[in-house]
Amino acid sequence: MTLFEKIATELSDKIRSGVYSSGEELPTEVDLQKMYGVSRTTVRRAIDQLVDDNLVIRRKGVGLFVAPSISNQNILEMTGIMKSEDIQINKQQIKEEYLRKADEYFANELGIKKSDLIYYIVFLQFDKDGITKENLILPLNNYPDFKVSSLKVLSIMENMNTGTQKVSDLDQVLRLVMADHELSKQLEIDPGEPVFKIYNKFLNDQGNPVGLEYRYKSAMSTKYVVDFD
């Protein structure tokens, strides 16, 4: 076995055993070079093998990530009610990320106690059609190992399925709202411009909520197909 194959095997074993979990960011090629005391070429050959084996995703200018173990499924396609014609994982900018106690509203929405902790993450997603604002609210007891870095490589649906309870259904509400000053600044649109506000409540197979999402996207640059069947 060659040196790069040994490194690839060791990293593969760590991925399969859960040392590096689905969607987690891996050490950089420079860090791996230092860890194993080998050349950059050797590290790259090892990573290339892991990429070929669909265990690692290499995102140029972003980093190396453990490939998701579940299929890439968009949240808007889950219900069969609404589909976006072109939504994918693009460049993200994290605006807020913290743990806090659930207030009364989120406690009621998630079916948890007000003393329970929740992740509150706000980020912007950039694509060719403009900017989308995402708010994710995840109860800590369902996502004890959640890593914000996973948002760089996993879709929202894939991130939701990294919890201890898997998503089986979705309650979804679509509203058309007008952009206030803060939202217009974040989405780089004019104040008062119409914005799609999509509220998603992710449910497990027993119908209990496991996470919430709020998505904001300019209605002038977003095309949706609604199926009422």
Side-chain angles (χ1 to χ4, degrees):
M1 184 181 291
T2 63
L3 187 54
F4 84 85
E5 288 175 328
K6 290 180 180 178
I7 295 173
T9 298
E10 183 173 328
L11 291 173
S12 174
D13 290 342
K14 288 183 177 180
I15 291 171
R16 296 181 192 280
S17 66
V19 175
Y20 295 122
S21 57
S22 178
E24 182 176 349
E25 188 169 8
L26 294 171
T28 66
E29 290 185 356
V30 173
D31 289 337
L32 290 171
Q33 182 182 348
K34 293 177 181 177
M35 287 169 58
Y36 291 102
V38 296
S39 69
R40 189 75 175 271
T41 300
T42 299
V43 167
R44 283 185 175 175
R45 291 188 67 186
I47 296 300
D48 287 343
Q49 180 172 315
L50 294 173
V51 171
D52 290 341
D53 292 340
N54 296 317
L55 290 174
V56 169
I57 294 174
R58 179 190 278 118
R59 296 200 67 198
K60 187 175 181 181
V62 179
L64 303 170
F65 298 85
V66 178
S69 57
I70 54 179
S71 62
N72 187 0
Q73 179 184 8
N74 188 272
I75 57 170
L76 297 181
E77 295 179 348
M78 185 176 175
T79 59
I81 296 174
M82 180 183 300
K83 296 182 180 181
S84 172
E85 290 192 343
D86 186 18
I87 292 182
Q88 56 186 343
I89 302 172
N90 295 284
K91 179 182 176 183
Q92 284 98 12
Q93 180 184 8
I94 306 297
K95 304 297 288 186
E96 298 178 53
E97 51 170 308
Y98 50 83
L99 272 173
R100 72 180 221 195
K101 288 184 178 180
D103 59 19
E104 184 173 359
Y105 174 78
F106 287 132
N108 289 335
E109 288 295 289
L110 291 167
I112 60 178
K113 300 175 182 177
K114 287 197 290 184
S115 58
D116 288 346
L117 294 176
I118 58 172
Y119 288 105
Y120 192 87
I121 306 107
V122 179
F123 65 98
L124 302 180
Q125 180 166 280
F126 302 83
D127 59 33
K128 63 182 181 63
D129 294 321
I131 303 172
T132 302
K133 179 182 178 181
E134 298 271 7
N135 291 21
L136 289 182
I137 299 91
L138 308 175
L140 177 62
N141 61 5
N142 190 44
Y143 296 90
D145 301 317
F146 179 77
K147 296 179 177 62
V148 175
S149 61
S150 66
L151 294 171
K152 297 179 182 179
V153 68
L154 299 181
S155 69
I156 298 297
M157 188 66 246
E158 289 168 327
N159 270 289
M160 288 296 177
N161 270 320
T162 61
T164 58
Q165 302 179 62
K166 305 305 179 185
V167 176
S168 296
D169 204 353
L170 180 70
D171 279 345
Q172 187 175 81
V173 178
L174 171 67
R175 294 178 57 199
L176 192 63
V177 299
M178 300 296 108
D180 59 17
H181 177 74
E182 181 181 0
L183 189 57
S184 65
K185 184 177 180 181
Q186 292 171 330
L187 299 183
E188 297 182 3
I189 59 177
D190 294 329
E193 185 171 316
V195 171
F196 283 124
K197 178 181 179 180
I198 302 170
Y199 166 76
N200 292 305
K201 180 185 288 187
F202 299 87
L203 308 172
N204 62 16
D205 57 3
Q206 296 178 329
N208 298 320
V210 298
L212 306 174
E213 178 205 23
Y214 295 86
R215 177 190 292 261
Y216 301 85
K217 179 79 172 180
S218 170
M220 306 300 292
S221 61
T222 306
K223 193 174 187 180
Y224 287 110
V225 176
V226 180
D227 184 357
F228 292 100
D229 291 336

